[in-house]
């Protein structure tokens, strides 16, 4: 019965509503067809929509696997996000409508943004930051986080934003990997009514960050935050944002940047323990995000756009900062949790500001489903006209729920597949053109070329395979900071002698209509609530604990988070398994990496299942964690280990 259901769901198709289609920016399939003929022409046309101080000489130089876009061209990202809007009717249009978790509100027009970004840029200059320097940003979701990013862009400094939920150690490692000169943080931020002590975490991290010269501290003013206990200021090193702001000039001339100059580095997890610093450059990245924001979200002048992502992730960079602002959008920015103080907070915000475009993650949609429709029905969501999803495959039932209860069967849903590395959306419906199917990201964006390949590199027409991107695109990562060999090795060696094929790490299938269905990661990377976590990172954090001899980490299906972390741990001599040790290890991982990496399950085991060559067989551990019959165990050195583990795991459940 349930199998039939799945089949039925997979064949459902939702053409764009006709009233949506007639007013959509793209309403016939031509954009997609023309562009698929020639990505270079398409992207050149899209790039010409940006403000350049000098036009480019060549659109693309491709020496696989290294691409350069728009060489010879010069532009500044902050000019494209702010200055270009202040001369016409957008000058006093709201750019950011911000709401803090405790309920405080602030609104900034494009003119306000211009003033704030100029001041922030001058603050950084005053602290000695020059073009090419790296600046770490460890802030809550407050307007200053956006000003800080754009201020870096204005003076040509490279920002690296570290998610506020990451631990001091994670912050320290990122700062040290790229040698940041300045850190921008805040006394604290709000999350579910609690204060996240960012400055204290930062102080902890900075005990071991020799390159940091200054710390700029935003006061997130509410009772309790901003007092000395949350921010002990170190004389000479630390500076209050609001004080320094009064000491700098109001205008900062934007730095002229080459198209290929670095815009930012953002760290993401890979298959080894060390996060990768993904490098994005100015011209190509801005082209990719500006173009996709406009077409994928069908963005119009009067829209109120809300992307619920945190700026600590690529979604926040591309679709909360650079994409919407380059398009002169009005957007909502919210600091806190979706269930604080009540589980209707998001719908309250949609109603209060008349949100018309709403972009969130499947993990959030599954939580809303679980909380129930009464929280939604209390609110007027009549202004919504388009919904988006990103971060992991969306289950057909979650898609249908989103469509029915949030979109009220009126709003197209864009399921957007992309990655930190791709910079911008790659596979997505165009909402005025594409008939959507629940669970499918549909087809590539114009100018994007993909293929499904088997491991030998043969093309698969219909069926499952490895996803590949077969032509460079402007917003692609340029390298991994400080490790170009790892760049080549991670993304361009999946198919022998094919340095021109980018491998994103995902499997996918193509149906009879040519639609793509992303199946998820095929490497040792987990996707927990839409966040990428490397199994190796969690294993390293576990092995760091004195009681642990060896650890193997796998993902197991989870109703809300998509995947949860299950760890198998063998202890060193002298330590015995216990509930309290289990809790201690879970906290140890949270402390080392951040709460998002805390394992759900930990199973103690004398041995881990290994092949005769000593490789841990994660596939079998996944079978155990997900309660399946064990797959092929014939390659194991000692098959009895895994059978015993399975019994033990089931006993614990
Ligand atoms: C991985 C990238 C792109 C911003 C959020 C995550 C998975 C992302 C989808 C989607 C199925 C998706 C992939 C991808 N993913 N979007 N619409 N359907 N899977 O960025 O942390 O770089 O993770 O997220 O597995 O490789 P990220």
């Amino acid at each position: 019965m349930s199998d039939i259901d799945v089949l039925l769901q997979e064949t459902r198709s939702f053409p764009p509503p006709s009233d949506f289609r007639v007013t959509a920016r793209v309403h016939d399939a031509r954009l997609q067809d023309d562009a698929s003929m020639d990505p270079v022409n398409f992207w050149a046309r899209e790039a010409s929509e940006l403000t350049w101080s000098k036009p480019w000489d060549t659109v693309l130089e491709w020496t696989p696997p290294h691409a350069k876009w728009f060489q010879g061209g010069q532009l500044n990202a902050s000019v494209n996000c702010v200055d270009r809007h202040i001369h016409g009717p957008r000058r006093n249009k709201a750019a950011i409508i911000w709401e803090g978790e405790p309920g405080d509100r602030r609104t900034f027009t494009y003119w306000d943004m211009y003033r704030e970004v100029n001041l922030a840029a001058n603050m950084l200059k005053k602290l000695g930051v020059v073009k090419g320097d790296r600046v770490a940003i460890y802030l809550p979701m407050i307007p200053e986080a956006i000003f800080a990013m754009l201020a870096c862009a204005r003076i040509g400094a490279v920002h690296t934003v570290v998610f506020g939920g990451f631990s001091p150690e994670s912050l320290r490692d990122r700062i040290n990997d790229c040698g940041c000169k300045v850190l921008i943080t805040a006394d604290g931020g709000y999350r579910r009514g609690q204060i996240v002590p960012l400055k204290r975490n930062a102080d902890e991290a900075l005990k071991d960050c020799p390159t940091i010269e200054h710390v700029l501290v935003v006061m997130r003013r509410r009772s309790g935050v901003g007092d000395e206990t949350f921010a002990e200021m170190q004389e000479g090193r630390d500076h209050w944002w609001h004080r320094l702001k009064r000491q700098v000039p109001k205008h900062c001339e934007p730095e002229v940047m080459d198209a290929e100059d670095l815009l930012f580095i953002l760290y993401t997890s890979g298959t080894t323990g060390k996060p990768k610093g993904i490098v994005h450059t100015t011209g190509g990245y801005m082209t990719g995000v500006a173009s996709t924001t406009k077409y994928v979200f069908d963005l119009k002048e009067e829209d109120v756009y809300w992307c619920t992502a945190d700026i600590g992730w690529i979604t926040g960079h591309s679709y909360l900062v650079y994409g919407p602002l380059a398009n002169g959008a009005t957007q909502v920015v919210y600091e806190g949790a979706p269930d604080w103080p009540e589980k209707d907070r998001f719908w309250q915000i949609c109603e209060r500001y008349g949100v018309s475009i709403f972009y969130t993650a499947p993990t959030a949609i599954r939580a809303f489903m679980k909380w129930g429709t009464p929280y939604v029905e209390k609110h007027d969501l009549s202004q919504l006209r388009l919904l988006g999803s990103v971060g992991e495959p969306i289950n057909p039932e979650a898609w249908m729920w989103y469509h029915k209860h949030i979109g009220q069967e009126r709003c197209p849903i864009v399921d957007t597949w992309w990655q930190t590395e791709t910079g911008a959306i790659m596979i997505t419906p165009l909402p005025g053109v594409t008939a959507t199917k629940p669970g499918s990201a549909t087809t590539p964006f114009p100018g994007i070329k993909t293929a499904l390949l088997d491991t030998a590199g043969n093309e698969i027409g219909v069926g499952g395979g490895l996803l590949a991107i077969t032509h460079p695109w402007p917003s692609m990562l340029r390298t991994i900071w400080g490790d170009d060999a790892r760049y080549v090795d991670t993304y361009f060696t999946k198919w022998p002698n094919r340095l021109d094929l980018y491998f994103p790490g995902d499997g996918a299938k193509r149906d009879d209509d040519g639609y793509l269905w992303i199946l998820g990661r095929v490497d040792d990377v987990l996707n927990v609530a839409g966040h990428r976590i490397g199994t190796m990172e969690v294993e390293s954090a576990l092995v760091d604990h004195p009681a642990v001899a060896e650890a193997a980490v796998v993902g197991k299906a989870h109703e809300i988070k998509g995947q949860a972390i299950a760890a198998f741990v063998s202890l060193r001599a002298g330590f015995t398994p216990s509930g309290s040790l289990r809790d201690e290890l879970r906290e140890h991982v949270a402390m080392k990496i951040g709460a998002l990496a805390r394992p759900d399950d930990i199973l103690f085991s004398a041995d881990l299942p290994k092949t005769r060559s000593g490789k841990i067989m994660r596939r079998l551990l996944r079978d155990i964690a997900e309660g399946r019959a064990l797959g092929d165990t014939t390659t194991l050195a000692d098959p009895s280990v895994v059978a015993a583990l399975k019994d033990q795991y089931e006993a614990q459940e």
Side-chain angles (χ1 to χ4, degrees):
M1 188 60 196
S2 69
D3 283 348
I4 296 171
D5 266 3
V6 171
L7 283 178
L8 284 177
Q9 281 169 350
E10 289 189 354
T11 57
R12 268 180 285 202
S13 168
F14 296 84
S18 58
D19 51 340
F20 189 97
R21 198 186 62 232
V22 293
T23 59
R25 276 180 174 274
V26 188
H27 48 260
D28 66 36
R30 239 182 2 224
L31 179 72
Q32 222 148 3
D33 294 345
D34 290 354
S36 55
M37 304 297 281
D38 184 12
V40 171
N41 284 348
F42 173 76
W43 289 118
R45 193 185 82 194
E46 291 307 300
S48 68
E49 304 264 311
L50 295 174
T51 300
W52 296 79
S53 51
K54 180 173 169 284
W56 59 85
D57 305 317
T58 42
V59 181
L60 170 64
E61 184 193 298
W62 179 220
T63 3
H66 292 100
K68 289 182 176 165
W69 285 86
F70 312 118
Q71 278 194 98
Q74 291 180 325
L75 76 170
N76 182 287
S78 84
V79 168
N80 274 280
C81 290
V82 181
D83 303 40
R84 73 192 309 215
H85 306 307
I86 61 171
H87 303 294
R90 287 181 185 149
R91 177 183 300 206
N92 276 306
K93 178 183 177 180
I96 295 172
I97 303 174
W98 176 83
E99 189 169 303
E101 195 187 69
D104 39 345
R105 299 193 210 171
R106 296 156 79 192
T107 297
F108 294 86
T109 66
Y110 277 96
W111 181 250
D112 293 328
M113 295 279 293
Y114 175 76
R115 298 177 61 207
E116 296 289 343
V117 171
N118 273 271
L119 288 165
N122 281 331
M123 289 193 252
L124 291 173
K125 275 188 163 173
K126 188 162 171 136
L127 297 179
V129 179
V130 297
K131 181 176 172 179
D133 282 345
R134 274 81 58 211
V135 172
I137 298 178
Y138 185 60
L139 283 173
M141 285 287 289
I142 53 177
E144 285 79 2
I146 300 173
F147 307 154
M149 290 167 75
L150 295 174
C152 288
R154 194 167 192 85
I155 64 171
V158 177
H159 58 70
T160 184
V161 180
V162 179
F163 174 56
F166 275 129
S167 65
E169 271 190 47
S170 296
L171 174 63
R172 178 199 67 194
D173 291 348
R174 286 159 174 77
I175 288 174
N176 289 340
D177 187 71
C178 64
C180 298
K181 195 180 208 176
V182 164
L183 167 66
I184 307 177
T185 188
D187 46 1
Y190 287 92
R191 188 75 192 175
R192 292 210 173 82
Q194 303 286 314
I195 293 160
V196 183
L198 293 166
K199 176 64 163 67
R200 278 193 212 152
N201 290 350
D203 285 338
E204 188 59 36
L206 294 184
K207 287 180 182 159
D208 192 13
C209 293
T211 57
I212 292 285
E213 294 173 11
H214 292 286
V215 183
L216 193 51
V217 187
V218 180
M219 192 181 275
R220 168 80 182 87
R221 233 179 229 287
R222 285 288 290 188
S223 50
V225 184
D227 86 35
E228 292 291 297
T229 57
F230 281 98
E232 259 174 56
M233 301 296 277
Q234 187 176 308
E235 186 70 42
R237 185 194 72 176
D238 300 350
H239 313 267
W240 284 111
W241 173 290
H242 61 282
R243 292 208 187 127
L244 197 61
K245 195 167 146 180
R246 292 196 289 262
Q247 300 165 24
V248 296
K250 291 187 170 140
H251 182 76
C252 170
E253 197 56 38
E255 193 74 34
V256 173
M257 303 297 283
D258 289 333
E260 283 295 335
D261 279 339
L262 266 60
L263 180 59
F264 65 86
I265 301 168
L266 183 62
Y267 285 84
T268 189
S269 296
T271 53
T272 70
K274 191 170 176 269
K276 305 175 278 199
I278 303 299
V279 170
H280 282 289
T281 57
T282 310
Y285 175 81
M286 288 303 293
T287 300
V289 298
S291 168
T292 48
T293 305
K294 183 171 60 177
Y295 295 127
V296 174
F297 299 109
D298 187 43
L299 190 68
K300 310 246 178 60
E301 202 57 53
E302 60 279 11
D303 273 310
V304 178
Y305 167 96
W306 183 19
C307 165
T308 67
D310 191 284
I311 47 136
W313 311 110
I314 191 68
T315 311
H317 283 58
S318 301
Y319 297 107
L320 195 136
V321 181
Y322 293 107
L325 295 176
N327 280 285
T330 291
Q331 65 172 331
V332 170
V333 177
Y334 169 58
E335 175 187 33
D339 55 352
W340 191 267
E342 291 297 333
K343 295 184 169 66
D344 66 342
R345 185 65 183 268
F346 274 17
W347 319 124
Q348 190 186 67
I349 292 173
C350 284
E351 175 174 358
R352 181 175 294 142
Y353 305 110
V355 171
S356 59
I357 301 172
F358 179 72
Y359 190 32
T360 197
T363 184
I365 298 167
R366 290 190 296 263
F368 303 143
M369 256 171 98
K370 191 170 170 196
W371 297 340
T373 51
Y375 290 109
V376 181
E377 284 154 7
K378 278 210 291 210
H379 296 284
D380 173 9
L381 302 182
S382 60
Q383 295 307 304
L384 283 175
R385 64 180 198 91
L386 179 71
L387 304 175
S389 170
V390 61
E392 57 177 309
I394 178 166
N395 336 53
E397 335 97 80
W399 195 102
M400 287 305 299
W401 187 91
Y402 198 29
H403 171 70
K404 182 156 181 229
H405 297 287
I406 308 302
Q408 298 168 343
E409 300 182 344
R410 162 187 83 235
C411 306
I413 297 178
V414 288
D415 173 0
T416 60
W417 177 87
W418 58 295
Q419 308 180 294
T420 306
E421 291 87 342
T422 68
I425 293 169
M426 303 292 278
I427 302 177
T428 177
L430 289 178
V433 175
T434 316
T436 52
K437 300 185 190 187
S440 170
T442 76
T443 52
F445 186 76
I448 300 300
K449 299 267 207 182
T450 62
L452 278 187
L453 303 176
D454 65 16
T455 45
N458 301 307
E459 210 155 325
I460 290 162
V462 172
L466 300 170
L467 185 63
I469 303 170
T470 59
H471 189 281
W473 65 102
S475 62
M476 70 191 282
L477 78 164
R478 297 301 191 263
T479 188
I480 291 173
W481 178 261
D483 198 348
D484 194 60
R486 190 173 175 198
Y487 164 78
V488 178
D489 188 56
T490 307
Y491 305 108
F492 296 95
T493 54
K494 187 75 186 172
W495 296 281
N497 307 318
R498 290 299 302 270
L499 284 176
D500 57 325
L501 294 179
Y502 172 87
F503 176 52
D506 282 319
K509 75 172 199 235
R510 192 189 278 108
D511 70 15
D512 294 328
D513 298 328
Y515 278 45
L516 292 165
W517 301 72
I518 306 296
L519 302 172
R521 311 277 322 177
V522 297
D523 52 13
D524 288 327
V525 175
L526 308 177
N527 189 326
V528 178
H531 302 314
R532 254 160 86 172
I533 299 171
T535 51
M536 276 283 286
E537 269 175 278
V538 182
E539 287 165 6
S540 308
L542 284 165
V543 174
D544 174 79
H545 189 281
V548 177
E550 196 171 33
V553 163
V554 297
K556 69 177 233 179
H558 184 279
E559 199 193 340
I560 305 285
K561 295 193 274 194
Q563 277 190 309
I565 298 176
F568 295 78
V569 166
S570 64
L571 295 177
R572 285 174 190 270
F575 292 90
T576 40
S578 69
S580 64
L581 182 57
R582 179 177 293 127
D583 293 343
E584 193 179 317
L585 293 180
R586 294 176 71 237
E587 286 321 303
H588 187 74
V589 175
M591 188 266 290
K592 295 287 289 184
I593 303 175
L596 70 169
R598 187 189 284 119
D600 273 35
D601 299 345
I602 290 184
L603 189 81
F604 296 111
S605 162
D607 293 296
L608 296 173
K610 289 187 186 154
T611 60
R612 285 177 205 107
S613 62
K615 197 170 174 325
I616 294 176
M617 289 202 60
R618 289 206 179 75
R619 173 173 61 77
L620 293 174
L621 295 176
R622 257 190 311 268
D623 289 343
I624 295 175
E626 295 188 333
R628 271 193 303 274
L630 289 177
D632 182 13
T633 58
T634 51
T635 55
L636 285 178
D638 178 1
S640 70
V641 168
V642 69
L645 258 182
K646 187 168 164 64
D647 291 346
Q648 199 189 331
Y649 198 89
E650 280 161 9
Q652 181 187 294
E653 300 258 293

